[in-house]
Amino acid sequence: MIIDQKYHIHTLDNGLRIVACRNEGGVSYIGAMVNAGSRDEDDNRQGLAHFVEHTIFKGTRNRRSCHIASRMESIGGELNAYTTKEETMVYTNAPAGYAARSFDLLADLIKNSTFPPNEIEKEKEVIIEEIHSYRDSPSDSVYDEFEELIYAGSGMAHNILGTPESVRNLSSADGRSFIDAKYTPGNMVIYCCSPEDPEKNIRLAERYFGDMEFTGNPNHRVMPPLPEPFLERRSLDNHQANCITGCRLFGRDDPRRHALFLLNNYLGGPCMNSRLNMEMRDRRGLVYTVESNIALMSDTGVMLIYYGCDPKQTDRCRAIISNEIDRLAQSPLSPRTFARVREQYCGQLIVSGEHRESRAMAMAKSLMYYGGVHDIAYTAEKIRSLSPGDLQEAAQLIAANELSTLILA
């Protein structure tokens, strides 16, 4: 077991990694992270990872769906899950003192889910309604459609939810085979952030997960091909144009990621004083919302800048975005401005760290991706070590790419 002042990390004999820490307050956050998502599906089973996330709650060899639903809620807690392109998270929160209940339930779901046919047929309709709800929201669907273009020719391109047709074709056997192949000890991290003794919780995790066998298949991910830059307009007959401008980037292991995240926050982060918000909304009144995001995967990534504007102003908005990136690429920020930008981001890290459930999940992701816990203090130290030149180089990286744009209007 590896122990530092905050984190206890232990690897079971079967290869399952566990990370635990003590949490102030009266709530325990416990979950299982799986290094598998929509890009790890077969092409003819699109939406399978998300389908499993939904239907894993529909019955096990030990519990019916109604018992699963009430197991945590009956004590005021929660059982939930989500799926991304490369990961699935199944997690609980509950008042302190119920860690054994959480571990027992999570282990039962992963080891014993049966995907009862009558239950999954009903849940397929729920998922299809979820697909339709995204299609009815262009500010959401524009992200999926942009990624279909920027990741074309790979498993990264298709929608995480799948299509109504692909979902209807999924079966109980598909769900169980995906669990058996991907929800395996070497492909998972169990996390626990609780007021209780971390070593005690690690022993509980071992009790419930220690008998799992590593019989699955490792992920065989192929980097998506680089697309030709595109400018695509799709007519929806909407009053507002929902747009994304962006480009492909490196993966999450690249040491330049910290400078890139700082650039992203300064350019189009959540604060009102971001460069794009000041230029496009405050000074010109062109948009209600503009925001920039970085999404780094195991072997690739994207920068996405979303903005909603009058359809007649899309070219003007694209020009402002390009001009701001070019300006940052051509000359570094002054030391005074850079210090302010850097400290603002570090302050945001501290504030976001107050969300304990997100912090617990981040602990698991860090162990999965980096082999240790890169917490807020670690990240802030990396950010504070940057210079104006590092931020300029990150801007030059973006400027060197011809930006692609998708417009839904």
Side-chain angles (χ1 to χ4, degrees):
M1 183 182 298
I2 302 171
I3 301 174
D4 64 16
Q5 292 181 342
K6 294 182 180 180
Y7 308 105
H8 297 236
I9 299 172
H10 182 63
T11 303
L12 302 184
D13 291 341
N14 61 9
L16 180 66
R17 288 163 289 177
I18 304 165
V19 57
C21 71
R22 193 181 294 275
N23 177 41
E24 297 178 0
V27 180
S28 294
Y29 303 98
I30 298 173
M33 178 191 172
V34 185
N35 185 19
S38 61
R39 77 176 298 188
D40 302 304
E41 304 158 349
D42 295 337
D43 287 341
N44 60 346
R45 291 182 175 84
Q46 292 184 12
L48 177 56
H50 177 257
F51 171 81
V52 168
E53 174 225 308
H54 270 246
T55 55
I56 196 175
F57 300 146
K58 295 305 174 182
T60 71
R61 291 197 294 267
N62 304 312
R63 293 179 173 94
R64 297 175 61 187
S65 60
C66 59
H67 300 140
I68 293 169
S70 64
R71 186 63 177 158
M72 302 309 298
E73 292 183 356
S74 64
I75 56 170
E78 179 188 19
L79 170 67
N80 211 334
Y82 71 77
T83 308
T84 71
K85 290 187 182 294
E86 288 196 336
E87 68 191 40
T88 305
M89 193 79 75
V90 186
Y91 59 95
T92 67
N93 60 53
Y98 289 97
R101 180 180 294 222
S102 293
F103 284 122
D104 174 45
L105 180 59
L106 291 170
D108 190 30
L109 294 174
I110 292 170
K111 295 189 291 185
N112 302 313
S113 283
T114 56
F115 302 95
N118 61 322
E119 292 285 350
I120 69 169
E121 289 305 314
K122 290 184 290 186
E123 196 63 22
K124 285 180 184 180
E125 298 307 313
V126 173
I127 295 170
I128 290 168
E129 285 305 308
E130 184 180 1
I131 293 170
H132 291 324
S133 73
Y134 275 91
R135 289 180 176 177
D136 285 343
S137 176
S139 61
D140 291 323
S141 63
V142 68
Y143 283 91
D144 292 326
E145 294 186 38
F146 184 87
E147 290 185 346
E148 287 175 3
L149 297 171
I150 204 78
Y151 288 130
S154 77
M156 293 280 286
H158 69 257
N159 192 305
I160 292 170
L161 305 183
T163 66
E165 295 75 21
S166 69
V167 170
R168 287 195 175 97
N169 288 330
L170 297 175
S171 67
S172 298
D174 292 328
R176 191 64 249 175
S177 65
F178 192 80
I179 288 267
D180 291 341
K182 303 301 181 183
Y183 286 52
T184 56
N187 212 35
M188 291 172 55
V189 167
I190 303 297
Y191 72 85
C192 178
C193 189
S194 168
E196 300 163 318
D197 179 14
E199 293 187 35
K200 175 184 175 182
N201 286 323
I202 286 176
R203 290 194 295 271
L204 282 172
E206 184 166 17
R207 180 197 304 174
Y208 290 104
F209 289 93
D211 62 345
M212 289 183 67
E213 296 180 358
F214 195 166
T215 58
N217 302 315
N219 295 323
H220 295 291
R221 294 170 175 166
V222 178
M223 183 184 295
L226 286 173
E228 291 295 322
F230 56 84
L231 170 58
E232 184 160 336
R233 298 175 186 265
R234 297 178 180 176
S235 177
L236 298 180
D237 196 25
N238 286 342
H239 173 73
Q240 184 184 60
N242 291 272
C243 315
I244 286 185
T245 292
C247 65
R248 285 275 295 276
L249 295 169
F250 46 69
R252 68 171 66 93
D253 289 331
D254 195 293
R256 296 172 293 175
R257 66 185 182 276
H258 299 291
L260 186 66
F261 286 132
L262 182 60
L263 170 69
N264 176 73
N265 195 64
Y266 176 56
L267 186 65
C271 292
M272 296 294 288
N273 65 350
S274 73
R275 290 300 309 163
L276 292 179
N277 193 73
M278 295 291 291
E279 292 296 322
M280 297 170 71
R281 175 174 168 156
D282 285 5
R283 294 181 182 172
R284 295 176 175 85
L286 294 174
V287 301
Y288 175 70
T289 300
V290 57
E291 57 188 21
S292 175
N293 296 283
I294 300 291
L296 301 184
M297 307 296 172
S298 56
D299 54 2
T300 187
V302 289
M303 183 177 195
L304 307 171
I305 300 171
Y306 166 83
Y307 47 103
C309 65
D310 186 291
K312 297 177 182 177
Q313 300 293 345
T314 56
D315 289 343
R316 189 178 178 192
C317 288
R318 288 174 55 232
I320 292 170
I321 290 170
S322 294
N323 289 341
E324 285 299 309
I325 293 171
D326 289 342
R327 185 182 63 82
L328 291 169
Q330 289 166 8
S331 59
L333 297 179
S334 69
R336 182 177 179 180
T337 300
F338 180 77
R340 176 181 59 78
V341 169
R342 185 174 55 190
E343 289 311 304
Q344 176 177 330
Y345 187 45
C346 290
Q348 289 172 248
L349 290 173
I350 294 169
V351 171
S352 66
E354 288 299 301
H355 193 284
R356 292 171 180 167
E357 185 167 54
S358 296
R359 190 171 63 194
M361 292 179 181
M363 185 173 67
K365 294 178 188 180
S366 181
L367 180 58
M368 174 70 77
Y369 298 141
Y370 302 115
V373 179
H374 294 178
D375 59 9
I376 290 169
Y378 173 93
T379 304
E381 181 181 355
K382 291 293 185 181
I383 296 298
R384 290 196 172 101
S385 71
L386 298 174
S387 68
D390 294 320
L391 191 143
Q392 182 185 10
E393 288 179 8
Q396 289 170 346
L397 173 68
I398 304 300
N401 288 278
E402 185 176 345
L403 297 176
S404 295
T405 300
L406 173 63
I407 300 167
L408 303 185

